[in-house]
Amino acid sequence: MLNEKIAVITGASRGIGAAIAKKMAENGANVIINYQGSVQAAQALEAEIREKGGKAVTYKCDVSDFDKCEKFIGDIVKEYGRIDILVNNAGITRDGLLMGMKEEDFDSVINVNLKGTFNTIRFASRAMVKQRKGKIFFFHSSVSGVTGNAGQANYSASKAGIIGLTKSAARELASRNINVNAIAPGFVDTDMTITLSDKVKEGAKGQIPLGRFGKPEEVAELALFLSSEKSDYITGQVINIDGGMVM
Ligand code: NAP
């Protein structure tokens, strides 16, 4: 399905990004596993993909750093000559109530989640415009970014910003045959949600019509579809994958 496509996935050492990397590699893509701190997890994922006959390399880069992203994307284009798929998945939370939120916790969440997304698309879109073809998608959050969430003002602001970025980029790049969409998960079982208390988890499940958290592999299926030619007529959309939580 993605034969020999060059797929850059940010924050792919763990969670949803790792599941997307595996799924894309199983479907023939050459995946670039970006990570920031989890070197062992990233290398283990690369080894797992290669053992199964897939193609993968790791690349350390802090997506919140504009200059490092220029080098990161530049190195990939130099090495492979193109970028077919860009998945802006890297994300963090630094939860806290607004009145006590530290400035650094606001800044770091905006810098990784929103500016990091800008940084990578800023450089990768250049390569895609030359190719006159590309697939880009961002990671939004169906709950926090749309309805807001107490204790997540920084995260909600970063994810709401991604909606504007998705739609503007989709309009700018459509004439070059580049699709830009956003995936909006609800609650997915990863390190990001593992720290939630049982009480919060049960409360959340009570608001999910399908009655459970999603699995990273389920999100990866949507990512595969959005990376393939099957989604060529979809752009500028925010697609919820949340068990029906936000309708
Ligand atoms: P996760 O398990 O916590 O993994 C986060 C990934 O982001 C890790 O691979 C991490 O790499 C990477 N990362 C963090 N800071 C980075 C930086 N500065 N530069 C490069 N990579 C960085 O998260 P997840 O649950 O898979 O979430 C993935 C995306 O989905 C995020 O954008 C998140 O906001 C969104 N989302 C998740 C949920 C959910 O319920 N899980 C719901 C809605 C939206 P290192 O460990 O190497 O630093």
Side-chain angles (χ1 to χ4, degrees):
M1 200 184 221
L2 301 180
N3 263 353
E4 301 302 327
K5 298 272 188 217
I6 307 301
V8 175
I9 306 160
T10 71
S13 51
R14 298 181 283 118
I16 294 170
I20 293 174
K22 280 190 217 172
K23 179 65 64 185
M24 288 191 178
E26 276 165 20
N27 281 274
N30 200 332
V31 298
I32 289 89
I33 300 164
N34 160 252
Y35 68 98
Q36 155 66 2
S38 304
V39 59
Q40 284 178 343
Q43 286 173 351
L45 178 61
E46 178 189 336
E48 187 187 329
I49 290 172
R50 283 172 182 258
E51 269 164 30
K52 290 182 183 154
K55 291 182 184 155
V57 292
T58 58
Y59 197 113
K60 179 180 164 82
C61 174
D62 175 355
V63 295
S64 69
D65 186 314
F66 188 80
D67 295 335
K68 284 185 182 155
C69 282
E70 180 172 24
K71 179 162 174 8
F72 168 36
I73 299 297
D75 284 351
I76 300 303
V77 173
K78 229 181 272 166
E79 174 74 23
Y80 299 97
R82 56 191 295 112
I83 294 179
D84 300 298
I85 300 159
L86 171 68
V87 185
N88 285 289
N89 165 78
I92 58 169
T93 51
R94 295 285 181 271
D95 296 351
L97 292 174
L98 195 51
M99 279 188 294
M101 186 173 283
K102 290 185 198 144
E103 184 183 7
E104 69 204 54
D105 286 343
F106 186 85
D107 288 347
S108 60
V109 168
I110 296 292
N111 285 338
V112 174
N113 298 5
L114 183 56
K115 188 169 169 242
T117 297
F118 162 73
N119 288 344
T120 45
I121 191 178
R122 161 77 172 72
F123 297 108
S125 59
R126 267 205 221 155
M128 289 184 181
V129 162
K130 280 192 198 143
Q131 295 158 203
R132 297 200 161 252
K133 181 92 188 141
K135 299 276 187 182
I136 298 173
F137 49 94
F138 302 132
F139 268 83
H140 174 54
S141 163
S142 82
V143 187
S144 317
V146 175
T147 61
N149 200 19
Q152 287 199 312
N154 48 0
Y155 185 76
S156 302
S158 74
K159 294 298 184 182
I162 283 175
I163 301 182
L165 190 51
T166 303
K167 294 183 180 178
S168 299
R171 287 183 191 279
E172 275 188 35
L173 299 171
S175 66
R176 301 298 197 281
N177 218 10
I178 299 166
N179 305 68
V180 187
N181 292 292
I183 291 180
F187 285 89
V188 181
D189 276 320
T190 67
D191 292 346
M192 195 172 267
T193 49
I194 214 161
T195 49
L196 298 173
S197 69
D198 288 346
K199 195 177 159 205
V200 170
K201 281 186 188 167
E202 285 315 306
K205 282 180 192 165
Q207 293 173 47
I208 301 171
L210 288 177
R212 64 171 176 86
F213 282 15
K215 301 183 192 112
E217 295 73 24
E218 292 173 312
V219 181
E221 291 290 351
L222 176 57
L224 179 64
F225 169 71
L226 285 178
S227 307
S228 76
E229 289 177 359
K230 292 183 180 178
S231 63
D232 275 357
Y233 200 52
I234 302 175
T235 200
Q237 303 304 309
V238 179
I239 302 170
N240 288 354
I241 176 161
D242 62 1
M245 199 172 181
V246 174
M247 294 190 193

